[in-house]
Amino acid sequence: MSIPDYISPIIGYRVWTWGTTGLKSLCGERWKPSQSLAARCRASSVVGRAEVVHDTRDVPQANCTCGVYAVKTLDHFRSAGYERFGIHGEVYLWGAVVEHELGWRAQFAYPKTLFLPPDLIPSDTKEMESRLEALAAYSTDIFIVACGESIPLCWKGSGFDAAGLDYLIRDRTRYYVRRQRDRTLMRGDRVAVLGRGIAVVEHADDTEVHALLGSRIIVRMRRNDVAWNQQNLRWEAEASAP
Ligand SMILES: [Zn+2]
């Protein structure tokens, strides 16, 4: 790929969807790493739809809808609500460019900087890794945007940044802790107290659980010691000392 250095590319803002194959436009068109995306005209191929049917490679045309879209300002991008559609970021636009009031349609484009909202990061670790690899392949600057902060995850030409990797590890830990605690343990739930039998919860709060084992033995457990076992599909606990 080459962005001609004798032209200053325009920098706009846009949004992509993100999967294991990398970035796609919202219409499903794939952006390949290290390759500029060359717009083709779809309107022209649908007979009767285009205002003026033109060569699909002679893009963008002023009186058509073709070209790679980007908006001019981050303010407009945000107020139009584009952020919620996926990864957003800055994009280089070059070649023939049609200017509109709020944005551009360009002949060629390539991502410049990507901003990754944490809620898009898959909870499954393998899925996360393969998606991050796919993203790193673009060799652009990538930031995780969390609580108004931009944490560097990847730098163009030098790969992953320790700050972003630390964030992912912390996020992962929080996720598992949350997942375990998000299931609410309630009165009436059954807990397999290992080595002792099934107890029925009498009381549960954030720190403590009391459960009835048999008809008269009250087992007291720390809430953190009671965990949902996904494989056995039941609550399990080590019995604490009575
Ligand atoms: Zn067109």
Side-chain angles (χ1 to χ4, degrees), residues 41-44 50 52 54-55 58-61 64-67 105:
C41 184
R42 289 205 166 82
S44 291
V52 174
H54 62 89
D55 184 333
D58 192 8
V59 168
Q61 295 278 317
C64 195
T65 54
C66 49
R105 291 186 284 124

Side-chain angles (χ1 to χ4, degrees), residues 127-140:
E127 172 82 8
M128 176 190 77
E129 284 171 3
S130 61
R131 288 227 222 160
L132 288 177
E133 290 298 327
L135 216 53
Y138 291 89
S139 191
T140 60

Side-chain angles (χ1 to χ4, degrees), residues 13 58 62 74 78 97 137-138 158 169 173 178 180 183 185:
Y13 300 89
D58 192 8
L74 194 54
R78 290 197 167 130
V97 175
Y138 291 89
S158 56
I169 291 163
T173 309
R178 206 165 56 232
Q180 187 179 336
R183 286 175 175 273
L185 184 63

